[in-house]
Amino acid sequence: MKYLDCVLQQMLKETRTFVQTLSELYMYLYYFINLSLLPSGFTMLRAFSHTNGRCVFHHAKCWHHRKSVLAIRREDVNAWERRAPLAPKHVKELTKMGYKVLVQPSNRRAIHEREYVKAGAIIQEDISEASLIIGVKRPPEDKLIPKKNYAFFSHTIKAQEANMPLLDEILRQEIRLFDYEKMVDHKGMRVVAFGKWAGVAGMINILHGLGLRFLALGHHTPFMHIGMAHNYRNSSQAVQAVRDAGYEISLGLMPKSVGPLTFVFTGTGNVSKGAQEMFSALPCEFVEPHELKEVSRSGDLRKVYGTVLSRHHHLVRKRDGLYDPADYDKHPENYISRFHIDVAPYTTCLINGIYWEQNTPRLLSRQDTQKLLVPVKSAAAATDGCPELPHKLLAICDISADTGGSIEFMTECTTIDNPFCMYDADQHITHDSVEGSGILMCSIDNLPAQLPIEATEYFGDMLFPYIEEMLLSEGSEPLEKQNYSPVVRDAVIASNGMLTPKYQYIQKLRESREQAQSLKMGDEKRVLLLGSGYVSGPVVEYLTRDSNIDITVVSVMKEQLEQLTTMYRNITPVHMDVLKNEEELSSLVKKHNLVISLLPYSAHPFVAKKCIDNKVNLVTASYLTPAMKELQESVEAAGITVVSEMGLDPGLDHMLAMECIDKAKEVGATVISYTSFCGGLPAPEHSDNPLRYKFSWSPQGVLLNTVQPATYLKDGEIINIPPGGALLDSVTPMDFFPGLNLEGFPNRDSTKYAEPYGIQTARTLLRGTLRYKGYSRTMGGFVKLGLINPDPYPLLRSTTPPLTWKELMCKLVGIKSPAEHHVLKEAVFSKLEKDKNQLEAVEWLGLLGDEPVPAADSIVGALAKHMEMKLPFGTGERDMIVMRSEIGLRHPSGHLEDKFIDLVVYGDNKGYSAMAKTVGYPAAIAAKMVLDGEITSKGMVIPLTKNVYGPILERVRAEGILYSTHSIIKQ
């Protein structure tokens, strides 16, 4: 008997490499069993693989008999997770073998508990007696039980950041972790996976998505009758729905204008095969990849076409254009993909089932896709009711769900709840919709959960043969004493509080990633710049001096975007109207560390709300308006910084004032008056028009400022100026630079700065705007005519027939159109109260002529667009900035001092305008300070404290923005 013991022990060891001696092993086992020669204390355990309904004997194992308990845990990480790792039929086999099987109760599980009970399982919450606990997805860290065996998809083998806390807890609790993903055969092929059902569900989903996308493009198709995969009780129901759609296609019910449909499947594994299996329910014909071009143009509309893409179809070596599989395996970096050239242009829908490895060519990049989405030329037969498709490639179903992988721009998975998004390659943004420009994307990472019963049975069939050996060991026992098969042994990620030798690289990956993230957090920063107007140049120029700052510029002005992209590196242009694309804006904001808004001030609250939602800091050059102040609590709750008034006026005027005021307070002086006037003007030699003004800043903002109310303090008395144009009657000559012939008028509410400036002692407090003499008089004429009217004016919308200025002026002065020129002129002159200078300005601008009025939402919006065209700075012309601040001080000794601060900046003939420099550089410097952690205050910030204005004033001087000060002492 001792001899038989030794033989049996040796035979059992050899079963670990039993492939070549299986028949011999059967013979010996039969001999021992039938002659009752098994030693006492041993029992025979069975392992089965269910293949096509048959039970196949895999291999037998003999262990010392002991009672073992298996637990199937409840899936509780995702609401859609209704699968289980084993089906009732597998539980039945285990209970027949004498195992106790516990199943945690779950109303979410697709297979009813009673089916498990019939199979012999016990339904109970407490699973602590189990030696092996299995699930599909990861358990929550707080549900782990120490020193147990666990098996599930851990998603830790790439040191995935989201699951590292779980791995840490597994190590701390000395749990043995078997990861299904690493259960592979001697060829490295996975032996336990849901792959087929990911392919089946993904194919169903994308057919449903195509129905929606076609409808958005103006086409009803048979795909509209296919639902999402989870809407079907099982795959057979789904197949029937697909067949029904296919029947309609075979009858020729697909719209002719969409052309033949082509589907490309990548990969040859179970994922791709599952997708192809569902696709085959359509009237389909599989062709070779090189045949796609022909069938996509002249194929039969009563069928759809498919092709399976392998490496040799699209990969070529860079130096000679050939494909060598052995060489590719060794040096994939020497190859490129021609998919975007040879296959994608003829593909309607891509079903991607391949994963991407570092240094291997991607299937599609953003640049590739931009070229693929160029609109096709419309055929003569196309009509509004029967439109052609905008481009051939309509949809991508990335079943691999490999973010940033073979589909470079698939950076975030979709979900069963929100299965589709549109990727716009031109703007490099995604938005949750099936409408708009771009490619329909579907990239759900838990597709088999949509067909949970079949997926459970399929997966359980593959897992069942390995359950016994995982079950018959205690997690607390040393791993080296376990006699696991290679498939199971190599799937042990952690045991006894340590990573197993094969997976110790995970810790190194974590360390390198954490180091890279640390460097990235410290170095690489992403800025979203909204607006590409006059000021954007200095902002971009300043920030791109730091090579670790990447800037995305969003603008409706395509030419300016292209100029910025040409002039500066690290720029990603996005051509988009921010205010009309709310979802796209939100998607962009969340991908950046900081937003700089150079949009009109009225847009800032809209932008700020997106920053609050996504916890992203914001910098603007505009006033902190009441609408912005209302967001104060939300900004603080989000823990972000919103910097406002970081330009010229407001901005540098605050900083120069506070520098002077703070220095005065340091010597005990009291501020008794503060006046500050600032203006952006053409240089004197270029002020040659009736308005004596040219635009280097927002035209509409300039115009609207003339009808704003104003409040200021004069010798202790509060002066209020009502809105509507009365401001232009409060003009004062400004003679501090006599040669410039300036005038000034109050700007907004000056009194509100008494508290933030800390100058409540001042009896005069006035902030105003500078212009050349005559500006206010001319603008007053526009106010009289109703041209500075921000109210909606439907007749000027782009959807209505265009008006000429002559027709609009007739309406404004109340005469019937068309009118003779002299009649209109006389009516306008009368409306202007016989002011010849004002009439001259109206005529000079062409407002009595036949030129069309630009489309706009309001009259003032149209006038702003018109003035931007009529009053730009010409080539070689320059602007200038003039600022004069006067601060009256009373010193402790009783003597008085008037402190003067002068800032005069000229634009560069071949460079930036003065306005661009004095607004752009302060905003850029402030943005850099936020990025670098120099400005850390949370909430609303304006530049009134020394830690903010000090560094900015020092740095603007380095940019050539110089100011001077002088004083007059009075006894």
Side-chain angles (χ1 to χ4, degrees):
M1 185 60 73
K2 287 184 178 179
Y3 171 76
L4 290 175
D5 278 350
C6 291
V7 171
L8 184 57
Q9 293 288 355
Q10 181 62 33
M11 186 173 63
L12 288 171
K13 290 181 180 178
E14 291 174 355
T15 62
R16 304 305 173 197
T17 55
F18 74 99
V19 175
Q20 295 178 347
T21 60
L22 186 57
S23 59
E24 184 179 355
L25 181 58
Y26 282 174
M27 181 180 69
Y28 277 109
L29 289 173
Y30 178 81
Y31 177 80
F32 285 129
I33 293 169
N34 283 278
L35 294 183
S36 300
L37 294 177
L38 283 174
S40 61
F42 281 81
T43 185
M44 181 60 60
L45 302 175
R46 296 170 294 171
F48 294 90
S49 171
H50 296 262
T51 307
N52 298 324
R54 297 180 294 108
C55 289
V56 180
F57 188 91
H58 264 232
H59 57 278
K61 306 179 181 71
C62 297
W63 279 280
H64 287 285
H65 179 71
R66 55 189 159 185
K67 185 177 181 181
S68 297
V69 181
L70 170 73
I72 299 176
R73 65 173 302 276
R74 174 174 53 249
E75 301 297 327
D76 45 14
V77 171
N78 185 290
W80 283 98
E81 192 50 78
R82 300 172 291 157
R83 293 173 288 177
L86 295 177
K89 66 178 181 179
H90 309 115
V91 170
K92 186 175 182 179
E93 292 293 338
L94 289 169
T95 56
K96 281 182 180 179
M97 296 178 200
Y99 297 115
K100 182 178 181 180
V101 179
L102 306 177
V103 177
Q104 274 193 323
S106 173
N107 289 343
R108 183 181 290 145
R109 194 180 292 121
I111 300 177
H112 200 278
E113 290 174 359
R114 66 169 173 252
E115 301 301 321
Y116 285 100
V117 172
K118 287 180 184 178
I122 299 170
I123 308 298
Q124 69 178 50
E125 184 69 29
D126 184 4
I127 56 174
S128 59
E129 66 175 302
S131 59
L132 173 65
I133 300 171
I134 63 174
V136 176
K137 295 293 188 178
R138 52 159 289 171
E141 288 94 288
D142 61 355
K143 299 289 180 67
L144 293 171
I145 303 174
K147 298 185 178 180
K148 297 290 184 182
N149 292 304
Y150 275 84
F152 53 87
F153 286 107
S154 72
H155 300 296
T156 59
I157 60 173
K158 294 182 181 178
Q160 290 96 318
E161 189 172 4
N163 293 321
M164 289 303 95
L166 171 68
L167 183 59
D168 289 339
E169 194 62 21
I170 286 171
L171 294 172
R172 190 185 71 80
Q173 298 197 30
E174 299 184 19
I175 287 168
R176 182 172 297 147
L177 170 62
F178 302 94
D179 194 318
Y180 304 136
E181 192 172 355
K182 297 307 293 181
M183 296 179 73
V184 298
D185 61 18
H186 65 285
K187 293 182 180 179
M189 302 297 292
R190 289 175 60 182
V191 297
V192 179
F194 286 101
K196 171 188 173 181
W197 294 99
V200 169
M203 193 69 222
I204 298 168
N205 292 340
I206 200 61
L207 291 176
H208 169 71
L210 276 171
L212 299 176
R213 180 59 179 156
F214 276 126
L215 190 64
L217 292 172
H219 310 280
H220 170 80
T221 66
F223 298 128
M224 279 299 296
H225 304 302
I226 300 174
M228 289 288 289
H230 59 268
N231 290 334
Y232 300 103
R233 189 179 301 275
N234 52 48
S235 61
S236 296
Q237 285 190 351
V239 167
Q240 189 57 53
V242 175
R243 282 177 179 164
D244 290 344
Y247 177 68
E248 293 188 8
I249 292 173
S250 69
L251 294 176
L253 298 182
M254 281 293 292
K256 293 181 180 180
S257 56
V258 306
L261 303 185
T262 54
F263 294 76
V264 173
F265 300 85
T266 62
T268 56
N270 288 331
V271 169
S272 183
K273 289 176 181 176
Q276 292 172 50
E277 182 180 309
M278 185 57 61
F279 176 74
S280 296
L282 295 169
C284 63
E285 178 184 343
F286 278 89
V287 298
E288 289 298 311
H290 70 270
E291 297 176 299
L292 274 184
K293 182 176 181 179
E294 180 61 28
V295 299
S296 72
R297 293 176 177 174
S298 57
D300 190 344
L301 293 177
R302 294 170 298 177
K303 64 172 72 172
V304 295
Y305 295 89
T307 192
V308 181
L309 194 74
S310 297
R311 288 177 177 176
H312 68 275
H313 291 127
H314 68 104
L315 294 177
V316 295
R317 193 160 39 210
K318 295 175 184 176
R319 61 180 170 83
D320 58 12
L322 301 177
Y323 175 71
D324 181 338
D327 180 58
Y328 177 78
D329 288 338
K330 294 178 182 178
H331 303 290
E333 69 279 2
N334 293 336
Y335 287 74
I336 59 172
S337 172
R338 288 183 56 86
F339 176 77
H340 66 289
I341 299 171
D342 297 338
V343 182
Y346 317 110
T347 302
T348 305
C349 179
L350 168 65
I351 295 91
N352 184 43
I354 57 174
Y355 289 88
W356 180 73
E357 297 292 338
Q358 196 73 31
N359 298 322
T360 61
R362 298 184 193 272
L363 198 64
L364 273 180
S365 69
R366 179 198 173 192
Q367 289 73 22
D368 297 336
T369 311
Q370 281 180 310
K371 297 173 184 176
L372 292 169
L373 298 191
V374 173
V376 297
K377 292 182 179 179
S378 182
T383 66
D384 289 344
C386 304
E388 286 197 333
L389 299 178
H391 37 75
K392 183 65 178 177
L393 183 58
L394 291 183
I396 296 176
C397 182
D398 192 356
I399 301 177
S400 75
D402 187 16
T403 55
S406 54
I407 309 296
E408 181 186 29
F409 47 84
M410 200 290 283
T411 57
E412 188 174 349
C413 290
T414 57
T415 65
I416 297 175
D417 293 303
N418 297 291
F420 305 112
C421 66
M422 293 295 297
Y423 172 71
D424 189 326
D426 282 334
Q427 301 179 13
H428 193 42
I429 58 174
T430 58
H431 52 95
D432 296 333
S433 176
V434 295
E435 299 180 344
S437 302
I439 300 175
L440 183 77
M441 300 288 296
C442 181
S443 53
I444 300 169
D445 63 359
N446 58 339
L447 285 166
Q450 293 183 273
L451 296 166
I453 295 177
E454 290 159 295
T456 294
E457 293 177 346
Y458 177 85
F459 185 81
D461 287 346
M462 291 189 286
L463 176 63
F464 185 78
Y466 305 99
I467 286 291
E468 290 179 273
E469 55 184 299
M470 290 190 283
L471 181 58
L472 292 173
S473 66
E474 293 293 335
S476 58
E477 296 173 349
L479 179 63
E480 56 271 15
K481 292 187 178 181
Q482 308 307 311
N483 199 19
Y484 294 136
S485 66
V487 170
V488 173
R489 183 190 64 240
D490 290 346
V492 179
I493 305 291
S495 183
N496 309 108
M498 296 181 294
L499 292 169
T500 58
K502 186 176 180 179
Y503 297 99
Q504 287 176 357
Y505 73 86
I506 293 176
Q507 183 59 32
K508 294 179 181 177
L509 275 180
R510 291 181 71 176
E511 291 170 358
S512 61
R513 187 192 64 233
E514 287 166 3
Q515 183 180 7
Q517 284 181 337
S518 176
L519 291 172
K520 185 175 181 180
M521 289 297 291
D523 296 333
E524 185 179 334
K525 303 174 181 72
R526 301 195 68 196
V527 173
L528 178 63
L529 177 61
L530 305 179
S532 64
Y534 303 108
V535 176
S536 61
V539 174
V540 172
E541 187 275 326
Y542 186 88
L543 291 176
T544 52
R545 295 176 193 175
D546 186 337
S547 61
N548 294 307
I549 293 179
D550 292 322
I551 303 176
T552 301
V553 185
V554 183
S555 176
V556 294
M557 295 181 281
K558 195 167 187 178
E559 289 185 7
Q560 292 182 355
L561 277 176
E562 292 172 352
Q563 290 174 3
L564 288 173
T565 306
T566 302
M567 293 174 63
Y568 304 105
R569 55 186 173 79
N570 295 355
I571 298 294
T572 300
V574 175
H575 184 231
M576 182 178 79
D577 186 337
V578 168
L579 300 180
K580 295 180 180 178
N581 293 273
E582 185 172 352
E583 288 184 5
E584 291 87 339
L585 174 62
S586 185
S587 176
L588 281 169
V589 168
K590 69 181 178 182
K591 296 176 182 177
H592 293 79
N593 305 104
L594 175 80
V595 176
I596 302 173
S597 179
L598 300 179
L599 301 173
Y601 71 88
S602 57
H604 294 328
F606 172 75
V607 174
K609 288 174 184 177
K610 299 303 174 188
C611 292
I612 291 167
D613 292 342
N614 294 285
K615 294 181 169 56
V616 175
N617 297 323
L618 171 66
V619 173
T620 83
S622 302
Y623 280 103
L624 184 61
T625 61
M628 286 290 285
K629 287 181 180 179
E630 289 178 2
L631 301 175
Q632 172 77 25
E633 290 185 7
S634 298
V635 168
E636 292 175 353
I640 64 172
T641 302
V642 174
V643 182
S644 299
E645 307 193 6
M646 195 56 75
L648 168 65
D649 175 9
L652 288 176
D653 57 344
H654 293 330
M655 294 182 250
L656 293 172
M658 290 309 302
E659 182 181 51
C660 179
I661 291 168
D662 284 346
K663 287 181 179 179
K665 288 182 177 180
E666 288 174 5
V667 297
T670 302
V671 176
I672 58 174
S673 66
Y674 171 80
T675 61
S676 178
F677 282 85
C678 180
L681 306 164
E685 65 273 25
H686 302 306
S687 58
D688 51 350
N689 63 69
L691 204 62
R692 296 163 180 80
Y693 194 79
K694 292 185 178 180
F695 290 99
S696 62
W697 187 232
S698 170
Q700 186 163 333
V702 171
L703 296 175
L704 287 174
N705 281 343
T706 61
V707 293
Q708 296 291 332
T711 302
Y712 61 96
L713 184 67
K714 177 72 171 177
D715 296 328
E717 180 185 357
I718 292 179
I719 310 296
N720 290 303
I721 300 174
L727 189 68
L728 300 174
D729 298 325
S730 304
V731 176
T732 304
M734 294 287 159
D735 57 0
F736 48 84
F737 292 136
L740 292 180
N741 198 20
L742 300 173
E743 64 184 22
F745 49 87
N747 186 9
R748 302 177 187 250
D749 184 0
S750 301
T751 62
K752 69 179 182 180
Y753 289 98
E755 183 175 348
Y757 279 14
I759 55 173
Q760 294 91 334
T761 53
R763 290 179 53 77
T764 295
L765 183 51
L766 172 61
R767 300 174 77 253
T769 300
L770 289 175
R771 293 289 184 262
Y772 287 122
K773 189 176 180 180
Y775 170 89
S776 299
R777 182 176 177 180
T778 302
M779 290 299 300
F782 297 148
V783 173
K784 293 175 188 176
L785 293 172
L787 290 168
I788 316 297
N789 186 346
D791 296 336
Y793 199 79
L795 291 177
L796 295 181
R797 291 176 183 166
S798 57
T799 55
T800 61
L803 284 177
T804 64
W805 280 109
K806 181 178 180 179
E807 291 170 331
L808 178 60
M809 292 301 292
C810 285
K811 293 180 182 297
L812 293 179
V813 299
I815 64 174
K816 188 176 180 180
S817 178
E820 295 291 333
H821 179 77
H822 72 276
V823 174
L824 175 59
K825 181 176 177 180
E826 184 59 36
V828 169
F829 191 43
S830 177
K831 191 83 170 178
L832 294 174
E833 299 172 352
K834 308 296 183 178
D835 190 313
K836 292 182 180 180
N837 289 327
Q838 292 178 346
L839 180 62
E840 178 189 348
V842 169
E843 288 189 294
W844 188 91
L845 285 169
L847 301 183
L848 303 183
D850 293 323
E851 191 174 344
V853 181
D857 293 328
S858 64
I859 295 175
V860 71
L863 181 63
K865 292 180 179 180
H866 183 72
M867 284 190 168
E868 189 171 11
M869 293 185 289
K870 291 288 186 179
L871 297 171
F873 282 89
T875 303
E877 295 183 343
R878 59 179 185 159
D879 69 332
M880 73 173 183
I881 295 297
V882 179
M883 181 189 293
R884 158 60 74 94
S885 296
E886 181 178 340
I887 303 174
L889 305 175
R890 176 180 284 112
H891 288 272
S893 61
H895 72 269
L896 304 177
E897 178 184 6
D898 287 336
K899 195 86 171 180
F900 300 96
I901 307 169
D902 293 325
L903 172 68
V904 179
V905 180
Y906 283 90
D908 301 322
N909 288 336
K910 297 182 180 180
Y912 300 128
S913 68
M915 182 65 75
K917 289 190 288 187
T918 53
V919 175
Y921 282 125
I925 293 167
K928 188 73 163 57
M929 290 174 69
V930 174
L931 289 171
D932 292 346
E934 291 184 79
I935 297 177
T936 58
S937 301
K938 304 304 177 186
M940 299 293 189
V941 175
I942 58 175
L944 302 180
T945 56
K946 190 173 183 178
N947 65 313
V948 176
Y949 72 68
I952 294 176
L953 288 177
E954 179 181 348
R955 293 168 197 178
V956 296
R957 284 194 291 269
E959 304 304 325
I961 300 174
L962 306 176
Y963 56 92
S964 62
T965 62
H966 67 278
S967 296
I968 296 177
I969 305 295
K970 301 176 183 178
Q971 296 300 326

